[in-house]
Amino acid sequence: MDSVAQKVLTSGFTPDLGPLKEPLAFIRLLEWVFAIFAFATTGGYSGTSSVNISCAGSGNEEVHVVFEYPFRLMDHPYNVPDCKINQTTTTVYYLVGDHTSSAQFYVCIGVLAFLYCTATLVLYLGYQHLYRESSRGPTVDLLVTAAFAFLWLSSSSAWAKGLTDVKWATSPSTILSALKVCDSVSNKCTAGAMPHMGRLNASVIFGFLNLILWVGNCWFIYKETPFHKSANQPADAEGGARPS
């Protein structure tokens, strides 16, 4: 590792945008962009669901239920009126479910992929001569890219399942089913506004798009490794031995 770092420091940065015309660097640039979209659409999300409670003999009251990333839903309380005559007391309820692990795992993979893409783009565009100097660079790049492809598959699948559970837990119909005040026929409970999930739906799409990009890029990196070159050598030698 010290020798590699020494080479990078002594060789000098020579910027060249030419590699972006080739699939290897161009796909890496797309991976960099889609990795940003993946973690940006998930991290920092905040949504609101609502239900309407109309107590007998009183007006309608709208109850807002707020939740946010990392979707530890049981940490988000909301107050519901008790609908008792001449009283304004409320009962605290909590959303159900903890989807922190799948959400944070997905965001973590997105951030790590972004950092790796940044580093390799610098290598492709500024130190291309070092990258192709030996077989070590393409081989390591192939192994890391294949590992990220698997991580995108697992994290995107886990987050897709987690998002489905978040949608169920935060839907107004699910919230109403947990309210005891709605068991009384004298009280009227109706569903309110649904939380806006378009941003989170996009995050899952970006996750699987990243999977496609990283799997596809494995082929182009593989072509830079000695494994591909050695596989082609016997065929070339055989073709060269044939009489014209």
Side-chain angles (χ1 to χ4, degrees):
M1 292 297 293
D2 292 338
S3 61
V4 174
Q6 212 169 26
K7 284 183 179 180
V8 170
L9 291 174
T10 56
S11 64
F13 180 75
T14 53
D16 178 17
L17 298 181
L20 287 177
K21 300 177 182 178
E22 302 175 4
L24 181 66
F26 181 71
I27 295 178
R28 184 67 82 202
L29 179 62
L30 291 179
E31 291 170 349
W32 183 80
V33 172
F34 279 91
I36 295 175
F37 288 157
F39 69 76
T41 50
T42 307
Y45 173 85
S46 179
T48 303
S49 185
S50 68
V51 294
N52 300 305
I53 310 295
S54 182
C55 301
S58 63
N60 182 67
E61 184 173 343
E62 187 176 17
V63 178
H64 296 278
V65 184
V66 180
F67 60 98
E68 60 188 7
Y69 174 85
F71 307 104
R72 188 179 285 108
L73 299 182
M74 68 274 202
D75 288 347
H76 298 283
Y78 56 98
N79 296 314
V80 178
D82 292 328
C83 289
K84 294 181 180 179
I85 300 175
N86 297 327
Q87 293 186 21
T88 57
T89 57
T90 60
T91 299
V92 178
Y93 287 84
Y94 293 86
L95 292 172
V96 179
D98 184 3
H99 309 285
T100 305
S101 57
S102 60
Q104 290 185 336
F105 177 45
Y106 179 79
V107 171
C108 178
I109 297 304
V111 173
L112 291 177
F114 164 75
L115 294 176
Y116 181 72
C117 287
T118 302
T120 50
L121 280 173
V122 171
L123 183 63
Y124 293 164
L125 304 181
Y127 299 96
Q128 183 69 210
H129 55 291
L130 286 181
Y131 181 79
R132 300 181 186 274
E133 187 178 77
S134 67
S135 62
R136 181 183 300 177
T139 301
V140 172
D141 194 14
L142 175 62
L143 293 175
V144 176
T145 300
F148 266 110
F150 173 76
L151 290 173
W152 275 118
L153 172 62
S154 55
S155 63
S156 298
S157 300
W159 174 228
K161 175 61 169 63
L163 178 57
T164 301
D165 295 337
V166 169
K167 288 180 178 180
W168 177 85
T170 58
S171 68
S173 58
T174 302
I175 295 172
L176 286 176
S177 65
L179 304 182
K180 293 182 179 179
V181 70
C182 297
D183 294 337
S184 174
V185 294
S186 59
N187 301 323
K188 184 179 180 181
C189 301
T190 57
M194 291 282 294
H196 298 288
M197 293 289 188
R199 178 176 164 182
L200 296 182
N201 291 333
S203 71
V204 174
I205 295 174
F206 285 130
F208 285 105
L209 285 176
N210 272 293
L211 169 63
I212 295 172
L213 287 173
W214 287 79
V215 170
N217 206 18
C218 284
W219 166 248
F220 296 103
I221 300 174
Y222 171 73
K223 291 172 68 175
E224 301 291 331
T225 64
F227 307 115
H228 179 263
K229 295 174 182 177
S230 61
N232 287 341
Q233 282 176 358
D236 294 341
E238 183 179 350
R242 291 174 183 171
S244 58

